[in-house]
Amino acid sequence: MIEHRKGISIAVLLIVAPPLVTLIATAHQMIGTGGDGLIRARAVTASAPPATQAPATAPAASGAPSATPGTAPGTAPAPTAAAAPPKPPAPVPGRSALDFSASRPAWETFLRDADPAAGKQLAANGKPAAGVQACVACHGQAGITPSGGIFPNLAGLSSEYLAKQLADFRSGARVQPLMNTVARALSEQEIGQVAAYYGTLAGPPMHVGEFGGDAARKLDVQGDGARALPACANCHGLRGMGEGPLIPRLAGQSREYFTDQMNAFRSGSRQNDDVGVMRAFSQRLTDAEIQALAAYYAGPAPQQR
Ligand code: HEC
Ligand code: HEC
């Protein structure tokens, strides 16, 4: 009986102790070590006014009050030195949810109210006055390139991904001479239009997994923990179908285009994957694996379909 009660009290102690220690440690961290202190709702709302008042008080402190009482223009250091002290001790910086939201990319505005019909015209005719060939000449009639090769299919990609790529080609964040020339000759509105148009087109028929073997399949669906390689499908969706607005479809892109992009990420010549995930992952793959993955996503050569 005694043994039993002792066991229970040990169990209770084990349950209660860890949260208690965490609580004390957190409190110590916030108050005891001269940290920011407890985050209070008042501090969060109080942080707004000083920002708007700052411009008003700063010129007054450095200009009018200290300089006017008889000081000659020569005594410049005085006002600047005086400008520092008037700052009242800053209120505890509160954090608002907005501090954590990413800035909105510029291409988002290109897509606003973009007219896909105008984009279709542009894709079919190009912009001869500016020397831009029709997109269809290289990217195929309905955004599916008949020959594959270095030309990617645009059909099956989201308008957001397409707009981002065109904006990146335009700014030089993604380098490829043909597309840099094309994208720089287009206006923001025209980029929105072609991206909106291609975003409506269905991708090529699916043949993912028919080639490339088990090694490629494993990398797609499972990744390789030993190399800290997540499954491609984690981001690119099941069978390379693409996911969300910004992760491109891989299914049906030619072996050559796929391999070119993987090598470009690997060498760092393509670095518009904003946080560098593709640069990191491509470096952990062997040449043979990239070949196998290329075949896996591409399916049969175009003429065999
Ligand atoms: C002269 C041939 C040519 C023309 C014309 C052309 N492109 Fe391209 N495009 C390419 C090539 C080659 C690539 C592959 C670039 C690379 O390897 O990085 C490409 C890539 C792209 C990509 C990136 C696709 C992806 O999966 O990341 C987009 C988007 C694109 N083109 C849109 C267009 C649009 C829209 C037009 C018409 C206004 C157009 N292209 C006209 C050759 C062309
Ligand atoms: C953590 C998410 C993530 C994982 C995992 C991932 N990718 Fe990507 N991948 C991306 C993003 C995001 C892009 C688009 C980058 C950009 O904005 O240009 C991309 C782009 C690509 C492209 C270029 C496509 C095109 O149309 O130009 C290829 C090829 C590619 N990934 C292959 C792979 C392969 C193969 C794997 C598995 C070994 C993989 N990715 C794993 C996020 C990921």
Side-chain angles (χ1 to χ4, degrees), residues 53-74:
Q53 278 169 17
T57 52
S62 61
S66 59
T68 38
T71 35

Side-chain angles (χ1 to χ4, degrees), residues 152 157 161 164-165 168 174 219 229-232 234-236 246-250 253 257-258 261-262 265 270 272-274 277-278 281 285 293 297:
L157 296 170
Y161 175 78
K164 176 186 183 286
Q165 298 308 312
D168 287 350
R174 180 171 172 187
L219 287 167
L229 261 176
C232 312
N234 267 3
C235 291
H236 288 276
L246 287 178
I247 308 200
R249 170 176 167 139
L250 304 174
Q253 295 296 21
Y257 176 73
F258 180 96
Q261 299 311 307
M262 293 302 277
F265 283 128
R270 177 170 174 184
N272 68 329
D273 52 331
D274 300 313
V277 286
M278 285 309 304
F281 301 152
L285 294 167
L293 283 163
Y297 289 115

Side-chain angles (χ1 to χ4, degrees), residues 120-277:
K120 185 176 184 180
Q121 288 296 314
L122 185 60
N125 306 324
K127 199 175 165 185
V132 178
Q133 276 189 65
C135 317
V136 299
C138 295
H139 292 288
Q141 273 309 323
I144 299 175
T145 51
S147 56
I150 64 167
F151 305 109
N153 300 321
L154 303 182
L157 296 170
S158 71
S159 9
E160 288 86 355
Y161 175 78
L162 292 161
K164 176 186 183 286
Q165 298 308 312
L166 288 165
D168 287 350
F169 282 129
R170 195 167 190 253
S171 71
R174 180 171 172 187
V175 181
Q176 205 277 344
L178 285 174
M179 279 311 300
N180 291 137
T181 311
V182 168
R184 283 179 185 144
L186 300 178
S187 69
E188 295 180 354
Q189 192 191 18
E190 286 165 338
I191 287 181
Q193 291 167 346
V194 280
Y197 165 61
Y198 279 112
T200 65
L201 302 178
M206 290 290 289
H207 291 282
V208 173
E210 291 173 17
F211 298 84
D214 286 341
R217 186 184 313 279
K218 189 157 173 265
L219 287 167
D220 178 25
V221 301
Q222 215 175 305
D224 180 4
R227 283 180 283 175
L229 261 176
C232 312
N234 267 3
C235 291
H236 288 276
L238 274 180
R239 311 209 308 146
M241 277 299 281
E243 201 154 274
L246 287 178
I247 308 200
R249 170 176 167 139
L250 304 174
Q253 295 296 21
S254 74
R255 296 178 192 204
E256 192 171 351
Y257 176 73
F258 180 96
T259 312
D260 277 357
Q261 299 311 307
M262 293 302 277
N263 287 334
F265 283 128
R266 191 146 72 148
S267 70
S269 68
R270 177 170 174 184
Q271 23 185 281
N272 68 329
D273 52 331
D274 300 313
V275 289
V277 286

Side-chain angles (χ1 to χ4, degrees), residues 41-153:
R42 195 160 47 81
V44 174
T45 46
S47 65
T52 50
Q53 278 169 17
T57 52
S62 61
S66 59
T68 38
T71 35
T75 51
T80 46
K87 278 191 182 168
V92 175
R95 309 239 159 81
S96 89
L98 288 176
D99 294 347
F100 298 95
S101 54
S103 57
R104 324 226 27 117
W107 52 259
E108 263 192 5
T109 59
F110 305 179
L111 285 172
R112 202 167 293 153
D113 302 324
D115 177 11
K120 185 176 184 180
Q121 288 296 314
L122 185 60
N125 306 324
K127 199 175 165 185
V132 178
Q133 276 189 65
C135 317
V136 299
C138 295
H139 292 288
Q141 273 309 323
I144 299 175
T145 51
S147 56
I150 64 167
F151 305 109
N153 300 321

